[in-house]
Coordinates of all heavy atoms in Angstrom, one line a residue:
K1165 N 3.8 1.6 -1.3 CA 4.3 1.8 -2.7 C 3.3 2.4 -3.6 O 3.6 3.3 -4.4 CB 4.8 0.5 -3.3 CG 5.5 0.6 -4.6 CD 6.0 -0.7 -5.1 CE 6.7 -0.5 -6.4 NZ 7.4 -1.7 -6.9
F1166 N 2.1 2.0 -3.5 CA 1.0 2.7 -4.2 C 0.8 4.1 -3.9 O 0.7 5.0 -4.9 CB -0.4 1.9 -4.0 CG -1.5 2.6 -4.7 CD1 -1.7 2.4 -6.0 CD2 -2.4 3.3 -3.9 CE1 -2.8 3.0 -6.7 CE2 -3.5 4.0 -4.6 CZ -3.7 3.8 -5.9
M1167 N 0.9 4.5 -2.7 CA 0.8 5.9 -2.3 C 2.0 6.7 -2.8 O 1.8 7.8 -3.3 CB 0.7 6.0 -0.8 CG -0.5 5.4 -0.1 SD -2.0 6.2 -0.7 CE -1.9 7.8 0.1
Q1168 N 3.2 6.1 -2.8 CA 4.4 6.8 -3.4 C 4.2 7.0 -4.9 O 4.5 8.0 -5.4 CB 5.6 6.0 -3.0 CG 6.9 6.7 -3.4 CD 7.1 8.1 -2.8 OE1 6.8 8.2 -1.6 NE2 7.5 9.0 -3.5
L1169 N 3.8 5.9 -5.6 CA 3.6 6.0 -7.0 C 2.5 7.1 -7.3 O 2.7 7.9 -8.3 CB 3.1 4.7 -7.6 CG 4.2 3.6 -7.7 CD1 3.6 2.3 -8.1 CD2 5.3 4.1 -8.7
T1170 N 1.4 7.2 -6.6 CA 0.4 8.2 -6.8 C 1.0 9.6 -6.6 O 0.7 10.5 -7.3 CB -0.8 7.9 -5.8 OG1 -1.3 6.6 -6.0 CG2 -1.9 8.9 -6.1
K1171 N 1.8 9.8 -5.5 CA 2.4 11.0 -5.2 C 3.3 11.4 -6.3 O 3.3 12.6 -6.8 CB 3.1 11.0 -3.9 CG 3.7 12.3 -3.4 CD 4.3 12.2 -2.1 CE 4.9 13.5 -1.6 NZ 5.9 14.1 -2.5
D1172 N 4.1 10.5 -6.8 CA 5.1 10.8 -7.9 C 4.3 11.1 -9.2 O 4.8 12.0 -9.9 CB 6.0 9.6 -8.1 CG 7.0 9.3 -7.0 OD1 7.2 10.2 -6.2 OD2 7.5 8.2 -6.9
F1173 N 3.2 10.5 -9.4 CA 2.4 10.8 -10.6 C 1.9 12.2 -10.5 O 1.9 12.9 -11.5 CB 1.3 9.8 -10.7 CG 0.4 10.0 -11.9 CD1 0.8 9.7 -13.2 CD2 -0.9 10.6 -11.7 CE1 0.0 9.9 -14.3 CE2 -1.7 10.8 -12.8 CZ -1.3 10.5 -14.1
I1174 N 1.4 12.6 -9.4 CA 0.8 13.9 -9.2 C 1.9 15.0 -9.3 O 1.7 16.1 -9.9 CB 0.0 14.0 -7.9 CG1 -1.2 13.2 -8.0 CG2 -0.3 15.5 -7.6 CD1 -1.9 13.0 -6.6
D1175 N 3.1 14.7 -8.8 CA 4.2 15.7 -8.8 C 4.9 15.8 -10.1 O 5.7 16.7 -10.3 CB 5.2 15.3 -7.7 CG 4.6 15.6 -6.3 OD1 3.6 16.3 -6.1 OD2 5.1 15.0 -5.3
D1176 N 4.7 14.8 -11.0 CA 5.3 14.8 -12.3 C 4.9 16.0 -13.1 O 3.7 16.2 -13.4 CB 5.0 13.5 -13.0 CG 5.8 13.4 -14.4 OD1 6.8 14.1 -14.5 OD2 5.3 12.7 -15.2
E1177 N 5.8 16.8 -13.6 CA 5.5 18.0 -14.3 C 6.1 18.0 -15.7 O 6.3 19.1 -16.3 CB 6.0 19.3 -13.6 CG 5.3 19.5 -12.2 CD 5.8 20.7 -11.5 OE1 6.6 21.5 -12.1 OE2 5.3 20.9 -10.4
E1178 N 6.4 16.9 -16.2 CA 7.1 16.8 -17.6 C 6.1 16.9 -18.7 O 6.5 16.9 -19.8 CB 7.8 15.4 -17.7 CG 9.0 15.3 -16.8 CD 9.7 14.0 -17.0 OE1 9.5 13.3 -18.0 OE2 10.6 13.7 -16.1
G1179 N 4.8 16.9 -18.4 CA 3.8 17.0 -19.5 C 3.1 15.7 -19.6 O 3.4 14.7 -19.0
L1180 N 2.1 15.7 -20.5 CA 1.3 14.5 -20.7 C 2.0 13.5 -21.5 O 2.7 13.8 -22.5 CB 0.0 14.9 -21.4 CG -0.9 15.9 -20.6 CD1 -2.1 16.2 -21.4 CD2 -1.3 15.3 -19.3
T1181 N 1.8 12.2 -21.2 CA 2.3 11.1 -21.9 C 1.2 10.6 -22.8 O 0.1 11.0 -22.7 CB 2.8 10.0 -21.0 OG1 1.7 9.5 -20.3 CG2 3.9 10.5 -20.1
I1182 N 1.5 9.7 -23.7 CA 0.6 9.2 -24.7 C -0.6 8.5 -23.9 O -1.7 8.5 -24.3 CB 1.2 8.3 -25.7 CG1 0.2 7.9 -26.9 CG2 1.7 7.0 -25.1 CD1 -0.2 9.1 -27.7
V1183 N -0.2 7.8 -22.8 CA -1.2 7.1 -22.0 C -2.3 8.1 -21.5 O -3.5 7.8 -21.5 CB -0.6 6.3 -20.9 CG1 -1.6 5.7 -20.0 CG2 0.3 5.3 -21.5
E1184 N -1.8 9.2 -21.0 CA -2.7 10.2 -20.5 C -3.6 10.8 -21.6 O -4.8 11.1 -21.4 CB -2.0 11.3 -19.8 CG -1.3 10.8 -18.5 CD -0.3 11.7 -17.9 OE1 0.6 12.1 -18.7 OE2 -0.4 12.1 -16.8
Y1185 N -3.1 11.0 -22.8 CA -3.9 11.5 -23.9 C -4.9 10.4 -24.3 O -6.1 10.8 -24.6 CB -3.0 11.8 -25.1 CG -2.3 13.1 -25.0 CD1 -0.9 13.1 -25.0 CD2 -3.0 14.3 -25.1 CE1 -0.2 14.3 -24.9 CE2 -2.3 15.5 -25.0 CZ -0.9 15.5 -24.9 OH -0.3 16.7 -24.9
V1186 N -4.6 9.2 -24.3 CA -5.5 8.1 -24.6 C -6.6 8.0 -23.6 O -7.8 7.9 -23.9 CB -4.8 6.7 -24.8 CG1 -5.8 5.6 -24.8 CG2 -3.9 6.8 -26.0
I1187 N -6.3 8.1 -22.3 CA -7.3 8.1 -21.2 C -8.2 9.3 -21.4 O -9.5 9.2 -21.2 CB -6.6 8.0 -19.9 CG1 -5.9 6.7 -19.7 CG2 -7.7 8.3 -18.8 CD1 -5.1 6.6 -18.5
G1188 N -7.7 10.5 -21.6 CA -8.5 11.7 -21.8 C -9.4 11.6 -23.0 O -10.6 11.9 -22.9
A1189 N -8.9 11.1 -24.1 CA -9.7 10.9 -25.3 C -10.9 9.9 -25.1 O -12.0 10.1 -25.5 CB -8.9 10.5 -26.5
A1190 N -10.5 8.8 -24.4 CA -11.6 7.8 -24.1 C -12.7 8.4 -23.2 O -13.9 8.1 -23.4 CB -10.9 6.6 -23.4
A1191 N -12.3 9.2 -22.2 CA -13.3 9.8 -21.4 C -14.1 10.8 -22.1 O -15.4 10.8 -21.9 CB -12.5 10.6 -20.2
L1192 N -13.6 11.5 -23.0 CA -14.4 12.4 -23.9 C -15.4 11.7 -24.8 O -16.5 12.1 -24.9 CB -13.5 13.3 -24.7 CG -12.7 14.4 -24.0 CD1 -11.7 15.1 -24.9 CD2 -13.7 15.4 -23.4
V1193 N -14.9 10.6 -25.3 CA -15.8 9.8 -26.2 C -16.9 9.2 -25.4 O -18.1 9.3 -25.8 CB -15.0 8.7 -26.9 CG1 -15.9 7.6 -27.5 CG2 -14.1 9.2 -27.9
L1194 N -16.7 8.7 -24.2 CA -17.7 8.1 -23.3 C -18.7 9.2 -22.9 O -19.9 9.0 -23.0 CB -17.1 7.5 -22.1 CG -16.4 6.2 -22.3 CD1 -15.7 5.7 -21.1 CD2 -17.4 5.1 -22.8
I1195 N -18.2 10.4 -22.5 CA -19.1 11.4 -22.1 C -19.9 11.9 -23.3 O -21.2 12.1 -23.1 CB -18.3 12.6 -21.4 CG1 -17.7 12.1 -20.1 CG2 -19.2 13.8 -21.2 CD1 -16.7 13.0 -19.5
G1196 N -19.3 12.1 -24.4 CA -20.0 12.6 -25.6 C -21.1 11.6 -26.1 O -22.2 12.0 -26.4

Side-chain angles (χ1 to χ4, degrees):
K1165 185 175 181 176
F1166 175 75
M1167 295 300 288
Q1168 185 61 41
L1169 286 172
T1170 304
K1171 184 178 181 303
D1172 290 343
F1173 178 77
I1174 292 171
D1175 291 340
D1176 183 22
E1177 297 180 5
E1178 291 184 15
L1180 297 177
T1181 63
I1182 190 69
V1183 174
E1184 291 166 306
Y1185 281 114
V1186 169
I1187 291 170
L1192 287 175
V1193 168
L1194 288 173
I1195 291 168

